[in-house]
Amino acid sequence: MADLKLRNVGKTYGGKVEVLKGIDMDISKGELIVFVGPSGCGKSTLLRMIAGLEKITAGTLEIDGMVMNDVPPSQRGIAMVFQSYALYPHMTVYDNMAFALKIAKKSKSEIDKAVRRAADILQLTDYLDRLPKALSGGQRQRVAIGRAIVRDPKVYLFDEPLSNLDAALRVATRIQIAELKEAMPESTMIYVTHDQVEAMTLADKIVVLADKGIAQMGSPLDLYERPDNEFVAQFIGSPAMNLIPGEIVKTGKMTEIDLAHEGHAVADVETQAAEKGWAVNAGVRPEDLRIAGAGDTVLVDGTVDYIEALGEVTILYFKAEHGRDPLIAKLPGIHDDLRGQTVQLTADPSKVQIFHEGKSLRTR
Amino acid sequence: MDNIAGTKSSLTWAVNISVIALALLWIMPTLGLFISSFRTADQIATSGWWKALFPSEQNLVLRADDPEGNRVERAGVYVVEGQLFEAGHSAEISAWGISSREISAYVPGETADLGDGETLTVQADGAYVWTGNADQLSGRGQRIFVTATTPPEFTTANYNRVLFSGSTTDGMANAFFNTLTVTIPATIIPIAIAAFAAYALAWMDFPGRGLLIAAIVGLLVVPLQLALIPLLKFHLGIGIGKGYLGTWMAHTGFGLPLAVYLLRNYMVGLPRDIIENAKVDGATDFQIFTRIILPLSFPALASFAIFQFLWTWNDLLVAKVFLIDATGETTVMTNQIVELLGTRGGNWEILATAAFVSIAVPLIVFFSMQRYLVRGLLAGSVK
């Protein structure tokens, strides 16, 4: 229910170690934003700065037009769900959810109404009298979410809420969070995760954090199809995007690249005549590679070193040459006869990215 | 080969034996004290406490009933008949005598000739017949030395004497309540202070926190003897003098460093997320402390409470310096036992009873709280 505005926000520990700098971000009411990034990129720190648990050492944070830098966490209108659930172990589920309202000196009936409503949403009504230790991991996480709902905050902050759950529960709880978001379209949610699937499925907008700043911010599919730079290109998607060094040999509406290992790539990226001869990386996702037919440009011509047959897809690993990462292709269906064979692969020009000095030429 | 790896070590027997040895080492003296406190001085003198459940052989000096009023004339001779043992006591006599030089001159049923026709017959169950003329059977009753086997017997007389007699030299009742008066506040006050301090040192950010923690660790190794004289002078100087208030303050001061240190280490191990969540929920530091930290720290608080209780209960030095004055009105149990050792050095039954009275409360406290003791210690160290 609130707009968030971050202006040039930075974080320095002890005046020396800089972990974040120059973060600019606008989050509008009702959006679900996901922060992703490699470990140690500062995504949790940024969330904790928004929550008020870490001091903001540079820039300003505004919630609903009010500068919140020095406002204590409880008055920022936020609620946070921790990775470890952080339930109060000595209180029942009911008391856990009622705690914030009791501190705020709300009336008994008001507290009861809010707790029962949240328990109803999260199917916790039968467990209200239990202690956290008598609950399963998924139920505990639901209590943690219920505790946030009860406070009716402007902004929900989720700090890797699903990473302590097993795979099946993670999917179930993820869907529950998505439903929760639909049920409360007014609420702004910020969600930190290192799990791409969570990021892609939940987010209205993903913020990729790397190297103390924002690498790219955009809708999930935008990040997938039009990555700004090599980092985002390789971070989003699994297996990671192949980057093949080469040189621009033909410019214009369609750009042609001679690849270092004797393949040839065509991309529908517009380039200027002056850029001919630039050393670039051609980026192509494993799932965009397909077996070349007659007349297709051959992008990869190599021997399959190893295959992983997963049934629905087959992952081919090509011989690594010149100390580079091995090329990876992901073909639909079963191809377990390809090991040791020489295979020609091609890709659609619209799926090929060109990176010059780490930056995409497609999105410049 | 299955004893090489895995959980079952081939040294299990060594562990078991050590545990049994330690348990015996602890139980034996306690049990001895406990049993001795229910025995009479004679029993303690003639046999060890481990024989208390078996009949014991004793040499007793008994007297026949005084002839006056008890003698009856039967065919020209006077006779006194009776029973050597008091009603309710039974014993079996194996030998008896009438002179201290020959205490086992006769066997039961034999008749002793006391000269000039005076005779005495003693049966194994203590029944006797004493005959003689009017002159011989007069004055006091005849002394009889017996060697008797008496069945096991326990008495609560020692406890009566130590606890309820009101005697100032033997009595422990007054000292018992004085000890309680010292111990209970001296346990509660340091915990109350230390819990607040530990929370601040663990979870509140303020300048000089690290130095304070280091100072507390430093204070852990300061011997309390160092402070006795200056503190007493200080107490006298500010007018508290010797008394309970000064003792509580001294125990509090000496107990605080360890209390703060233990509780801080425990509290620092509580999950940070819980405390941050409470902050987001709007709780103040005081509310976090009372509603979250205190309930979660109960094992640590209990384990320190046990420690502090036990060692203020057993304390002699601080009480001697800060509490006990010339009147002796405020003596504590440890001091009372020391004095009993002086005045009653030979009366083991009194000493054993007094000692057991003083260890009974710590035993009760320990056994009722020991699960917290173990849990609190573990929880602080193995997190």
Side-chain angles (χ1 to χ4, degrees), chain A residues 48 74 84 88 90 147 151, chain B residues 273 276-277 280-282 291:
Chain A
R48 292 166 55 83
S74 54
S84 62
Y88 308 126
H90 57 296
R147 215 160 48 168
R151 297 188 58 215
Chain B
D273 285 356
E276 290 187 335
N277 194 62
V280 174
D281 275 350
R291 304 244 192 134

Side-chain angles (χ1 to χ4, degrees), chain B residues 140-350:
Chain B
R140 300 201 61 192
Q142 172 68 36
R143 274 200 309 172
I144 304 168
F145 301 86
V146 301
T147 303
T149 308
T150 53
E153 191 187 336
F154 297 99
T155 171
T156 54
N158 298 328
Y159 284 95
N160 261 329
R161 181 149 160 211
V162 163
L163 289 179
F164 307 114
S165 71
S167 137
T168 45
T169 49
D170 293 352
M172 291 289 281
N174 186 31
F176 182 87
F177 288 111
N178 289 344
T179 299
L180 274 182
T181 314
V182 170
T183 306
I184 291 172
T187 304
I188 293 171
I189 299 170
I191 286 184
I193 299 173
F196 280 98
Y199 173 74
L201 290 174
W203 289 107
M204 286 168 75
D205 208 15
F206 57 89
R209 188 171 73 155
L211 276 179
L212 259 179
I213 295 169
I216 284 163
V217 173
L219 282 174
L220 280 177
V221 296
V222 175
L224 70 89
Q225 287 87 339
L226 210 65
L228 291 180
I229 305 299
L231 255 186
L232 183 61
K233 281 193 92 167
F234 172 72
H235 284 180
L236 295 172
I238 61 173
I240 300 176
K242 281 190 162 196
Y244 289 116
L245 185 60
T247 317
W248 297 333
M249 281 167 56
H251 277 307
T252 301
F254 296 134
L256 264 183
L258 185 68
V260 175
Y261 178 75
L262 269 182
L263 292 178
R264 187 205 89 97
N265 281 1
Y266 185 86
M267 288 179 187
V268 117
L270 295 173
R272 168 177 289 270
D273 285 356
I274 291 183
I275 289 142
E276 290 187 335
N277 194 62
K279 272 188 191 153
V280 174
D281 275 350
T284 60
D285 271 317
F286 185 74
Q287 284 167 323
I288 293 175
F289 176 70
T290 52
R291 304 244 192 134
I292 314 272
I293 301 282
L294 273 191
L296 292 182
S297 301
F298 185 72
L301 295 173
S303 75
F304 179 74
I306 296 170
F307 275 134
Q308 180 75 3
F309 182 86
L310 290 184
W311 80 66
T312 49
W313 185 273
N314 291 328
D315 163 74
L316 176 64
L317 183 61
V318 173
K320 277 251 187 206
V321 174
F322 293 104
L323 182 61
I324 299 160
D325 52 20
T327 64
E329 281 297 305
T330 50
T331 188
V332 293
M333 282 205 287
T334 44
N335 188 58
Q336 185 73 1
I337 290 172
V338 170
E339 285 182 3
L340 281 179
L341 282 174
T343 57
R344 292 279 187 176
N347 295 61
W348 284 33
E349 78 283 8
I350 298 291

Side-chain angles (χ1 to χ4, degrees), chain A residues 48 50-54 70-79 151, chain B residues 276 279-282:
Chain A
R48 292 166 55 83
I50 295 170
L53 295 171
E54 297 272 1
D70 296 317
V71 177
S74 54
Q75 287 158 34
R76 293 189 181 197
I78 51 121
R151 297 188 58 215
Chain B
E276 290 187 335
K279 272 188 191 153
V280 174
D281 275 350

Side-chain angles (χ1 to χ4, degrees), chain A residues 37-258:
Chain A
S39 14
C41 71
K43 53 190 190 292
S44 282
T45 307
L46 185 58
L47 191 79
R48 292 166 55 83
M49 284 158 74
I50 295 170
L53 295 171
E54 297 272 1
K55 222 175 141 42
I56 299 170
T57 52
T60 55
L61 162 72
E62 284 178 27
I63 298 177
D64 267 351
M66 293 202 0
V67 177
M68 289 291 177
N69 284 32
D70 296 317
V71 177
S74 54
Q75 287 158 34
R76 293 189 181 197
I78 51 121
M80 186 146 167
V81 176
F82 290 84
Q83 176 180 357
S84 62
Y85 323 131
L87 301 181
Y88 308 126
H90 57 296
M91 297 184 192
T92 62
V93 169
Y94 185 97
D95 289 335
N96 260 286
M97 295 209 270
F99 183 77
L101 300 182
K102 279 185 191 161
I103 294 285
K105 301 213 160 47
K106 292 272 169 42
S107 73
K108 269 227 162 73
S109 60
E110 212 175 329
I111 294 174
D112 196 62
K113 219 174 99 190
V115 170
R116 302 227 171 255
R117 189 182 72 99
D120 200 43
I121 294 174
L122 296 163
Q123 295 130 45
L124 285 169
T125 312
D126 294 341
Y127 305 107
L128 284 176
D129 294 331
R130 291 212 198 162
L131 286 175
K133 67 179 174 203
L135 298 178
S136 71
Q139 289 164 339
R140 287 180 204 182
Q141 192 52 279
R142 295 217 298 274
V143 176
I145 295 170
R147 215 160 48 168
I149 293 175
V150 164
R151 297 188 58 215
D152 195 20
K154 296 184 204 162
V155 186
Y156 288 84
L157 305 175
F158 293 92
D159 189 2
E160 310 205 17
L162 307 184
S163 19
N164 280 6
L165 303 179
D166 63 46
L169 257 176
R170 205 180 286 193
V171 174
T173 316
R174 191 176 78 212
I175 291 167
Q176 219 160 17
I177 291 178
E179 283 170 352
L180 191 71
K181 179 74 195 70
E182 299 228 316
M184 300 187 291
E186 295 280 276
S187 306
T188 310
M189 293 186 180
I190 303 178
Y191 191 107
V192 166
T193 182
H194 57 255
D195 184 314
Q196 281 193 34
V197 182
E198 277 171 39
M200 299 297 281
T201 51
L202 288 173
D204 293 323
K205 229 193 247 175
I206 293 180
V207 178
V208 181
L209 292 166
D211 195 23
K212 300 175 189 175
I214 297 176
Q216 192 177 352
M217 182 167 165
S219 72
L221 292 182
D222 211 31
L223 259 59
Y224 179 80
E225 288 179 329
R226 298 164 57 81
D228 257 346
N229 48 52
E230 286 180 1
F231 178 81
V232 175
Q234 291 212 295
F235 190 78
I236 303 282
S238 173
M241 183 186 275
N242 297 302
L243 291 177
I244 313 159
E247 184 189 327
I248 298 180
V249 290
K250 184 161 171 275
T251 56
K253 276 231 176 289
M254 301 288 267
T255 303
E256 287 187 36
I257 304 164
D258 257 351

